[in-house]
Amino acid sequence: MAMATISLQLFFLLAGTSAVVATSRSPMAPAQAPEPSSSAISFLRASCAATNDAADFCYNLLLPYADTFNGSLARVARAASAIAEARQHDFTEELARLKLRGTGAGKVADMALTDCSNEVSTSDMFSNETLGHIDNLIAHQGSQKDFDSQKITAVEFMTSAESGLTQCVDWFHSAGEAAVSSPVGKEVIDGCTTLSPYLQISYMLVDAVKF
């Protein structure tokens, strides 16, 4: 299960990387990928409706993968979650680098940065486990009780991670104006607010999956 999880994460990471490399190395834009089928597009729109006000964001994010879902909301949730978890991992590494530099805005600001780095890093430790729970929803094996337990656990991990991002922003604001206005503070706050919607649509999609 762990290897499958890692492989799917790499798929999404490498897919994006390949597109960037192709664009930067060629004077011409790469060939457009085939348009998803109309039925796949309709299914994705219906699936993203579960994310409420974030439906357009959900749709645009997942449109390149629309033909891979095969009518499975669990697969839609898995794709969104893999992207969110990959971004969370990148942000974890960035916070670790920033922590080594410090904020340059004083001890209290540095403490906020350390707390934020630790919080996001802790959430990142559960990324593969979260994706594993969603994989079990796709497999759809066992009883409804088992299914519901897998879903609840995945949602709890992601809502906790999203809550941690909100805490990070609050810690910087509590540290004072110098912390918030420092280049590092701005970068951390921007990183938190950018990552948060990815986690939000992921746990809303997972929560919408039915037995």
Side-chain angles (χ1 to χ4, degrees):
M1 181 65 69
M3 288 299 295
T5 298
I6 294 170
S7 296
L8 280 171
Q9 280 185 298
L10 288 174
F11 168 78
F12 286 108
L13 287 169
L14 292 175
T17 303
S18 298
V20 172
V21 171
T23 303
S24 62
R25 291 182 179 176
S26 172
M28 299 179 64
Q32 291 290 323
E35 286 289 324
S37 66
S38 58
S39 60
I41 290 175
S42 296
F43 175 72
L44 178 59
R45 285 195 183 279
S47 298
C48 285
T51 64
N52 301 323
D53 292 342
D56 287 343
F57 175 65
C58 170
Y59 174 79
N60 291 326
L61 178 68
L62 300 177
L63 183 59
Y65 316 107
D67 275 329
T68 70
F69 301 140
N70 300 320
S72 168
L73 180 56
R75 291 184 184 277
V76 178
R78 178 58 164 80
S81 300
I83 295 171
E85 301 293 2
R87 285 179 169 268
Q88 179 177 266
H89 183 70
D90 289 344
F91 188 45
T92 299
E93 293 185 337
E94 180 60 22
L95 286 172
R97 287 191 289 269
L98 292 174
K99 187 170 69 170
L100 292 176
R101 286 169 39 194
T103 62
K107 185 176 180 179
V108 176
D110 286 345
M111 289 174 61
L113 175 59
T114 297
D115 289 342
C116 186
S117 178
N118 292 341
E119 177 69 28
V120 176
S121 177
T122 299
S123 296
D124 186 51
M125 290 172 57
F126 294 97
S127 294
N128 284 344
E129 185 175 346
T130 301
L131 295 175
H133 287 299
I134 302 171
D135 285 337
N136 291 334
L137 300 183
I138 295 173
H140 206 281
Q141 296 177 344
S143 66
Q144 180 163 355
K145 182 178 179 180
D146 292 335
F147 183 93
D148 290 343
S149 176
Q150 299 281 352
K151 183 170 78 169
I152 290 169
T153 303
V155 169
E156 285 180 346
F157 278 149
M158 287 188 286
T159 54
S160 177
E162 198 266 334
S163 177
L165 297 175
T166 301
Q167 279 190 307
C168 282
V169 175
D170 289 344
W171 286 332
F172 267 88
H173 281 286
S174 296
E177 181 59 32
V180 173
S181 60
S182 68
V184 171
K186 290 178 179 178
E187 186 172 348
V188 173
I189 292 171
D190 181 66
C192 290
T193 55
T194 299
L195 175 58
S196 184
Y198 289 88
L199 290 166
Q200 289 173 355
I201 67 167
S202 297
Y203 65 67
M204 285 190 283
L205 287 168
V206 172
D207 193 50
V209 177
K210 305 299 182 186
F211 181 70

